[in-house]
Amino acid sequence: MAHGEYLKESYPSVKNILLLDSEGKRVAVKYFSDDWPTLAAKLSFEKSLFTKTAKTNARSEAEITMFDSYIVVYKFVQDLHFFVTAGSDENELILAAVLQGFFDAVGLLLRNDVEKRTALENLDLILLCIDEIVDGGIILETDANTIAGKVATNGSDNTVTFSEQTLSQAFATAREHLARSLLN
Amino acid sequence: MAQPLVKKDDDGDDEMDYSPFLGIEKGAVLQEARAFHDPQLDARRCSQVITKLLYLLNQGETFTKVEATEVFFAVTKLFQSKDTGLRRMVYLIIKELSPSNDEVIIVTSSLMKDMNSKTDMYRANAIRVLCRITDGTLLTQIERYLKQAIVDKNPVVASAALVSGIHLLQTNPEIVKRWSNEVQEAVQSRAALVQFHALALLHQIRQNDRLAVSKLVTSLTKGSVRSPLAQCLLIRYTSQVIRETNNSQSGERPFFDFLESCLRHKAEMVIFEAARAITELTGVTNRELTPAITVLQLFLSSSKPVLRFAAVRTLNKVAMTHPLAVTNCNIDMESLISDQNRSIATLAITTLLKTGNESSVDRLMKQITNFMSDIADEFKIVVVEAIRSLCLKFPLKYRSLMNFLSNILREEGGFEYKKAIVDSIVILIRDIPDAKENGLIHLCEFIEDCEFTYLSTQILHFLGNEGPKTSDPSKYIRYIYNRVILENATVRAAAVSTLAKFGALVGSLKPRIFVLLRRCLFDIDDEVRDRATLYLNTLQGDDSIGETDNDVKEFLFGSLDVPLSNLETSLQNYEPSEEPFDISSVPKEVKSQPLTEKKAPGKVPTGLGAPISNPTPTVDAYEKLISSIPEFSSFGKLFKSSAPVELTEAETEYAVSVVKHIFDGHVVFQYNCTNTIPEQLLENVTVFVDASEAEEFSEVVLKPLRSLPYDSPGQTFVAFEKPEGVPAVGKFSNLLKFIVKEVDPATGEAEDEGVEDEYQLEDLEIVAADYILKVGVSNFRNAWESMDPDSERVDEYGLGARESLAEAVSAVINLLGMQPCEGTDVVPSNSRSHSCLLSGIFIGNVKVLVRLSFGIDGPKQVAMKLTVRSDDPAISDAIHEIVANG
């Protein structure tokens, strides 16, 4: 491996995080790389990725594929498809940790009611969640409790460990609040 | 009853489609954003509007410049609100809107205030936002706060500052480098992720300082690293240090113990990172590989697909260089052939084909057969090629492999795939005599139902050469004559030629062949009739010409002793006149062996369409020389060897020339040294190569010349690793180092004590042309048209003022190092424009064709249009790059 090539991999780097629905439509996406410069390029990547992975069973364990010389790890639940993409030389297990962090944090934030509708109703939480996992391609945090904690308490104090229990309580009110007001 | 209606209600389709954003419209949301200007801010409502704006952006909606500015200004008002939830959304949307420099100023003071807030969340987020949107000038103002933040006791704040530092290092390195002390302190942080981010930033700052990186690694490998992510970084940086201290040719590798200890880490990502790092060590030994392979083998049977994939992908790479080291995993690998995940199955198959042994071939074939139906053509070709080399490795197993090939030949598939199979069968027939009859019958059956004219004609040609020499040639006649009845004109003509060959070689068949050929005289196609007439006359040996049997055979089987392209040019130049065309007037000079057209990116210069191109003898000799040196055996097949380049002036004390040997992932310099001083004996001769102007190359092997007596040439070698398949270029300066010993001219005995000395040699360059083989084509136009037009890349270049058009043409040809075709390298004097055709094989065995159109104007300004087609569009681009940089 030559020098120039090495520098790019000096730290693990995520190219995008995607949350699509069961038809491949966007729920929330975030790109950290210029590999897909236009909206059309992004959509076509999402479409091919969705088509390639839609028939696989990625429900109990995270799945993985090589795609257009990218590595993509993914996991599905209900009508939601979670994806994390990186370059082909990335450590697959680091990526899987990012995916698991994202997946579990969303589960905590949505109180295990993880489906497209609740995700959209709580889109602000989903977007904040992605924002707390990766910053400009660099992994910020992979621990789901910490991520959810930062989103929920707005990150003021991460020494408080966030168990699902307290989170549920915190959200019981907030979520209903929000859903109701969005419905109006 | 209206059942569907009821059902619909029950199913709640409306509810299914329900989305809180249903019917959302940009215009309306922008209207709602006016709420941001309210003197009494409704925080919750504002949050919702921001969510809607973010939703629109996320769906790909774009805001015009005016709209974006308007939204941005409105958002800045929200800093007045004390609501933390709203503030969080404000941070998010500012990043998404990516405001312009003059807009940034509006929020700068608000964000700077937040950076110094008592609330950690404000500090952390304000840092991230400000660093994202800021430019260099502002950075100096906030630098002080950032340095403080790096060592902030809140880990979220520290991480925010460190991660921002990594981003800013790209644009403002001189500022970020001033933070080294703080970053160094953060590396010692007890917070796991702070340490991870600090380590990444510190390495980025110091990556070009070998000593500093080495120190960093030394201290951390002894200390405690708190998170798996940071441990992965440390493994990467340790590998870098190992790679850069490659002088340890013998003995223990530094830090190897550390890598090995990471194989016992509790986190899987660390174990894997370490295993992968070990397999990628340059010149890794089997002993070093073993522990890494063992953990990867365990991963192969994991229940997690990601783990299996990571392991099999790494083992697949190892199998390319160390197939034996991977054989232990074969049993686990075989069970992966049926893996649900096709990526894993695919990698397992190719690994097995590389590492398989004779006894496992049959079982493997059975498993692959089931597998072939559900993969794409592109990958099937990889499998076919792997099977071909497996068969050559284990010739005794030809029967099952040949059966496999013939089975897949009968199945559906595109041209490239079918051609790969046919090529493989032809190679097996050539190299394994026992496989011949069986293989020929498979080919005959294939052409009975073959939709590809190209393949049919090639097989007929091959059949004509091989069929008559078999034990029962008559059995092939039926298949050949069927072609005359059933196929298009091109195939019919080829079949006629094949029949004639049988007639010429097999006396007993001759009368029957005549009957068949006579029938062809009534064909509707000129070419078929002409061929039939010609062969009937030659074979009957009419006294009109009075040929002997040998002449006939020579005519039928002999190859033209002139290059086809030369013949074509001569025929084109021939003007109809009384004087007949004289074939002996065709120039015979072959600049390089013409290669028969190949549509597929042939991996080896074999297959159909004999004659096979013979590499020039020198290349052959070099190949033998290089492969006899164990250190270079893992480099794969030699792609090209340059002509020797002199590195010394004539008549100096030591004469040194160098030959550049190019491999896919390596370059070997062979220094030919001659000592011209009778009173000296040189020992331990090496060339010290400074590759600082060849960044992509790193030295891997240095092979000294033990002794260099007077006037007896010897060689020393230096090998470099380079990115695989990449035409990396660079400049190398060379210094000859040796121990010189005085020799007594009377006795010829050397003194015991020697003196170290050195001798400056001239520089050496690797240029793009080193990666291109000069290989001509016999028919440029056909070759061009058989290339995928999508691979075509066209561009125009100004070459500036040139002495003449001819000089410009030859400069471009030399730059590309390709074979001029059809004599187009010769520029007629006084012409104002010229077209030139070039052909070559690019590293990786990619065929490349180039059309050049030159024009010159009054003040000798030359312009050029360059059109490239290639088997790989990326190579077409690469050719343009060479010209653009030349």
Side-chain angles (χ1 to χ4, degrees), chain A residues 6 26 30 132 135 154, chain B residues 58 88 96 121 128 236:
Chain A
Y6 186 75
R26 288 177 169 187
K30 180 75 189 165
E132 289 295 354
D135 181 291
N154 294 313
Chain B
N58 226 286
R88 195 72 176 75
E96 287 299 321
M121 185 277 285
R128 285 174 62 195
R236 290 186 192 185

Side-chain angles (χ1 to χ4, degrees), chain B residues 15-47:
Chain B
E15 215 178 323
M16 286 290 283
D17 284 343
Y18 167 77
S19 150
F21 302 104
L22 197 67
I24 190 170
E25 260 182 314
K26 183 172 79 169
V29 180
L30 290 174
Q31 286 283 326
E32 288 184 65
R34 296 198 173 157
F36 300 168
H37 293 285
D38 272 357
Q40 297 295 311
L41 283 173
D42 178 346
R44 201 192 320 139
R45 187 164 146 68
C46 290
S47 284

